[in-house]
Amino acid sequence: MTDWLIELMETLGAPGAGLGIALEDLFPPLPSEVILPLAGFTASRGEMHLLSVLAWTTAGSVVGALALYWVGALLGRERTLALAARIPLLKVSDIARTEAWFLKHGRKTVFFGRMIPIFRSLISVPAGVERMPLGVFTLLTTAGSLLWNTLFVMAGYVLGESWSLVETYVGLGTNMVIALVLLAVLVFAGVRLGERCKGRHALRG
């Protein structure tokens, strides 16, 4: 995992770290929890300037988020509803409630979502679907990304040779997020299947 990142940063310097973060937004299996501390460690050795690393990795976050924003914008509300109608157990009313929630809390969601594993990539898509003002989206994404990136770059910078400890501990948090998402999906499916069973019994009665 780290070999190609090291080669990328050795070849391009801080822009290489930014490119890695942009790719992480588009392909979440590439974890920023590895890229950012490694970039911080590299900066601690004097091979890259710390401020340059922070600037380029934040720029990479914004570029990746904007790409996904435009995916959502091109997808649009009508296509989203059409896709939702084909998903088993999902109702169009579920999308409507999600839209209402996003319209009310979208700004906070975009800002804080940049600091939550998995969601920091996905949150850009509904922002595009709902056509959140591009300037607002970019500003919130930049602010949230700068905080997240600074935390992990500085962790790698301070830890030095032990920078990989960041990946170990944050990986536990990521696994917890995945477990909670899976639990929520299972609960949702159970509730929806229960509703269908009740509906069938009512028709028979």
Side-chain angles (χ1 to χ4, degrees):
M1 172 64 76
T2 58
D3 290 344
W4 72 273
L5 290 172
I6 293 171
E7 186 175 346
L8 190 63
M9 283 186 268
E10 284 179 347
T11 303
L12 301 177
L19 177 59
I21 291 296
L23 292 173
E24 183 260 346
D25 259 355
L26 300 174
F27 306 101
L30 300 175
S32 62
E33 294 87 349
V34 175
I35 301 170
L36 295 172
L38 177 57
F41 166 58
T42 305
S44 73
R45 297 173 60 184
E47 297 176 20
M48 295 191 294
H49 194 283
L50 181 60
L51 292 180
S52 182
V53 169
L54 293 174
W56 278 102
T57 54
T58 300
S61 296
V62 174
V63 168
L66 286 172
L68 291 175
Y69 173 94
W70 285 112
V71 169
L74 292 172
L75 183 63
R77 185 174 184 275
E78 296 303 320
R79 289 193 183 93
T80 300
L81 291 174
L83 288 172
R86 298 178 183 179
I87 299 176
L89 305 180
L90 191 65
K91 297 178 181 178
V92 174
S93 59
D94 295 326
I95 302 299
R97 283 194 293 269
T98 302
E99 283 183 311
W101 188 92
F102 191 86
L103 289 172
K104 185 177 181 180
H105 303 286
R107 295 189 177 196
K108 290 182 288 186
T109 304
V110 168
F111 176 75
F112 289 108
R114 297 302 307 175
M115 305 174 213
I116 302 175
I118 301 173
F119 288 100
R120 65 173 164 265
S121 297
L122 300 178
I123 195 59
S124 301
V125 178
V129 170
E130 295 300 326
R131 289 300 180 102
M132 174 182 281
L134 188 58
V136 173
F137 174 80
T138 303
L139 179 62
L140 292 171
T141 298
T142 301
S145 299
L146 180 59
L147 285 174
W148 175 266
N149 294 354
T150 299
L151 175 64
F152 284 92
V153 168
M154 290 308 300
Y157 189 90
V158 171
L159 288 172
E161 295 284 350
S162 301
W163 67 268
S164 59
L165 288 174
V166 178
E167 179 190 4
T168 301
Y169 287 109
V170 176
L172 295 174
T174 301
N175 290 336
M176 287 181 63
V177 171
I178 293 172
L180 288 172
V181 170
L182 290 175
L183 179 61
V185 170
L186 289 173
V187 170
F188 174 82
V191 170
R192 194 49 52 83
L193 287 171
E195 290 175 353
R196 286 192 176 184
C197 289
K198 287 181 181 179
R200 289 171 183 169
H201 287 310
L203 289 174
R204 291 174 183 174

